[in-house]
């Protein structure tokens, strides 16, 4: 997607052998990139959320393995890199999907062949992610067209939570890809952007992306969605996900579950957009998904830009009060209208997933 007219991916290889990423902790106030030169760098940017979003975490981890293979391509170094990178964030399964793919590709090769092969495989993971997201966009766009055809007047009002746009993937995004395609094709859309406390990925990243692409949108407090749905001001919801279990339960950014509950109560379709790399066939249900607990500081403090341009961090809570910060929640499959994947749209159930991905489920 484009920033100030220049096309970007979120992660790209440089001619000098390094990797460059967009620093998402500085958005929307500053567009800054960071150059990565080691597996440790890749692990650090995933942990600190310089890069975030399930598919992008996987892509960054793949490059982490590629860097590790440049230094030491032994079996032991491969396993150590996979272990180190796999411990960076617990909920997004794309991380483990990418690491497993790197391992399966590299382990059978001789150590001498691994560095070049690892680099090529990480690049392939990125290229495939772009294509997969583009296809999610096409399938999702068909859903949006159908929904729009049922409306007499006005734009299609879509609610989204967190950031599942191009910044969360290599390009296009998952939940936002259909919206970009609809907008580009001239379908009138308007996006309600949940601010997504405590880190505000909605207000700072989704709104930034949509604004840069010219998509009409409005930032709302996380708690406003239910009210808007009761008043007929949301036509459908689309969110991304960090892990889908075999039965169709979905882990996504904290607060997603409450939106799905409100959508059910108000007969608002609730779609989840996902690449197949987000399906965890090993886990039977959402109860088994590890939920990341992050620092309470993210809740008790906030950063923002002063009118002078200075970016500051301020305390917002009663001094001394403790905070708890579970970063994801699980939406049971019964609240999900359908999945939008790279292979098409299916029911949020084991049967639905298997109908599109029969081989992968074995
Ligand atoms: O903690 P984050 O910002 O990595 O969480 C991201 C999300 O919850 C996204 O909705 C999810 O990764 C889907 S990204 C296409």
């Amino acid at each position: 997607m484009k920033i100030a007219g220049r096309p970007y991916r979120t992660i790209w290889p440089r001619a000098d052998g390094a990797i460059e990423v967009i620093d998402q902790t500085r958005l929307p106030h500053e567009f800054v990139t960071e150059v990565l030169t080691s597996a440790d760098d890749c692990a650090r940017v995933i942990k600190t959320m310089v890069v975030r979003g399930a598919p992008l975490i996987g892509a960054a981890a793949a490059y982490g393995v590629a860097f590790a293979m440049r230094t030491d391509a032994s079996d032991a170094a491969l396993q150590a890199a996979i272990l180190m990178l796999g411990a960076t964030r617990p909920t997004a399964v794309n991380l483990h999907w990418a690491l497993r793919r790197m391992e399966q590709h590299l382990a059978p090769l001789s150590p001498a062949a691994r560095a070049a092969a690892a680099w090529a495989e990480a690049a392939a993971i990125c290229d495939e992610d772009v294509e997969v997201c583009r296809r999610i966009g096409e399938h999702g766009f068909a859903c949006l067209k159908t929904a729009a055809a049922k409306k007499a007047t006005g734009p299609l009002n879509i609610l989204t939570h967190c950031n599942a746009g191009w910044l969360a993937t290599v390009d296009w995004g998952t939940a936002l890809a259909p919206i970009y395609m609809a907008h580009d094709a001239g379908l009138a859309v308007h996006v309600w952007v949940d601010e997504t406390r405590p880190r505000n990925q909605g207000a700072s990243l989704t709104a930034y992306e949509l604004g840069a692409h010219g998509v009409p949108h409005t930032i709302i407090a996380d708690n406003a969605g239910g009210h808007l749905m009761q008043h007929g001001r949301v036509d459908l919801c689309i969110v991304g996900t960090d892990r889908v279990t075999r039965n169709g339960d979905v882990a996504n950014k904290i607060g997603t579950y409450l939106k799905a509950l409100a959508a059910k109560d108000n007969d608002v379709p609730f779609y989840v957009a996902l690449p197949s790399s987000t399906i965890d066939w090993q886990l039977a249900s959402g109860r088994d998904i590890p939920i990341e607990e992050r620092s309470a500081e993210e809740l008790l403090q906030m950063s923002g830009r002063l009118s002078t341009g200075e970016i500051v961090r301020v305390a917002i809570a009663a001094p001394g009060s403790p905070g708890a910060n579970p970063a994801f929640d699980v939406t049971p499959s019964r609240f999900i209208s359908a999945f939008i994947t790279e292979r098409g749209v299916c029911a949020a159930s084991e049967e639905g997933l298997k109908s599109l991905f029969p081989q992968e489920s074995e």
Side-chain angles (χ1 to χ4, degrees):
M1 304 300 277
K2 287 183 184 160
I3 298 291
R6 192 185 144 183
Y8 278 94
R9 286 184 174 186
T10 52
I11 185 166
W12 63 95
R14 290 160 50 105
D16 63 2
I19 288 295
E20 202 161 338
V21 296
I22 298 169
D23 182 347
Q24 301 194 23
T25 64
R26 311 275 283 271
L27 290 171
H29 308 303
E30 300 169 302
F31 183 84
V32 177
T33 62
E34 185 172 339
V35 176
L36 314 179
T37 57
S38 67
D40 285 341
D41 278 351
C42 293
R44 176 180 49 77
V45 295
I46 296 170
K47 258 191 191 147
T48 55
M49 295 178 69
V50 166
V51 297
R52 30 67 54 201
L56 178 55
I57 291 170
Y63 273 115
V65 173
F67 279 124
M69 293 299 92
R70 273 191 189 157
T71 321
D72 177 354
S74 65
D75 287 354
L78 177 60
Q79 290 312 317
I82 287 170
L83 211 63
M84 190 263 292
L85 289 154
T88 47
R89 293 195 69 192
T91 303
V93 79
N94 307 61
L95 174 68
H96 304 288
W97 170 87
L99 291 172
R100 202 166 45 247
R101 176 162 158 176
M102 293 299 283
E103 183 182 21
Q104 282 169 358
H105 190 70
L106 299 175
L109 304 179
S110 73
R114 283 179 183 163
W119 206 253
E121 191 65 2
I125 284 175
C126 290
D127 289 346
E128 285 170 30
D129 184 68
V130 178
E131 177 55 16
V132 160
C133 287
R134 196 190 61 73
R135 285 194 214 162
I136 290 171
E138 283 179 353
H139 295 300
F141 177 29
C143 299
L144 300 190
K145 271 195 280 203
T146 308
K150 292 183 189 149
K151 276 200 87 166
T153 54
L156 192 66
N157 288 300
I158 304 164
L159 183 143
T160 193
H161 191 70
C162 194
N163 173 259
W166 73 273
L167 288 167
T169 63
V170 178
D171 205 351
W172 281 110
T174 56
L176 296 195
I179 293 172
Y180 287 128
M181 287 197 183
H183 174 78
D184 291 352
L187 186 79
V189 290
H190 164 261
V191 185
W192 296 113
V193 178
D194 282 353
E195 61 174 347
T196 318
R197 285 281 290 143
R199 286 186 67 98
N200 297 318
Q201 288 97 325
S204 60
L205 303 176
T206 298
Y208 173 81
E209 277 194 25
L210 292 173
H213 201 79
V215 180
H217 65 280
T218 308
I219 299 169
I220 52 173
D222 287 327
N223 297 328
H227 164 78
L228 293 172
M229 289 185 215
Q230 283 176 326
H231 289 267
R233 298 174 68 189
V234 181
D235 296 309
L236 58 93
C237 305
I238 309 186
V239 299
T241 166
D242 290 78
R243 193 183 300 226
V244 175
T245 52
R246 216 168 48 232
N247 68 341
D249 291 348
V250 160
N252 193 46
K253 183 54 53 190
I254 193 81
T256 303
Y257 170 51
L258 294 178
K259 292 297 130 61
L261 282 177
K264 186 82 173 176
D265 191 43
N266 291 284
D267 285 327
V268 172
F270 191 91
Y271 291 100
V272 178
L274 61 126
S276 53
S277 52
T278 305
I279 306 169
D280 186 344
W281 295 103
Q282 310 306 314
L283 291 194
S285 87
R287 270 192 303 276
D288 306 326
I289 298 175
I291 299 295
E292 181 175 16
E293 286 281 342
R294 294 189 60 85
S295 161
E297 260 184 25
E298 291 184 347
L299 185 71
L300 306 176
Q301 301 176 359
M302 222 179 216
S303 61
R305 190 177 52 199
L306 300 177
S307 55
T308 58
E310 191 190 349
I311 293 161
V312 293
R313 198 157 178 83
V314 295
I316 60 161
S321 290
N325 185 13
F328 297 92
D329 61 23
V330 172
T331 299
S333 59
R334 64 183 180 278
F335 297 120
I336 299 164
S337 309
F339 288 145
I340 304 168
T341 79
E342 72 267 31
R343 293 213 188 142
V345 176
C346 71
S349 64
E350 184 162 353
E351 296 69 37
L353 288 169
K354 281 184 173 167
S355 71
L356 294 181
F357 302 98
Q359 266 87 45
E360 288 80 350
S361 61
E362 280 162 14

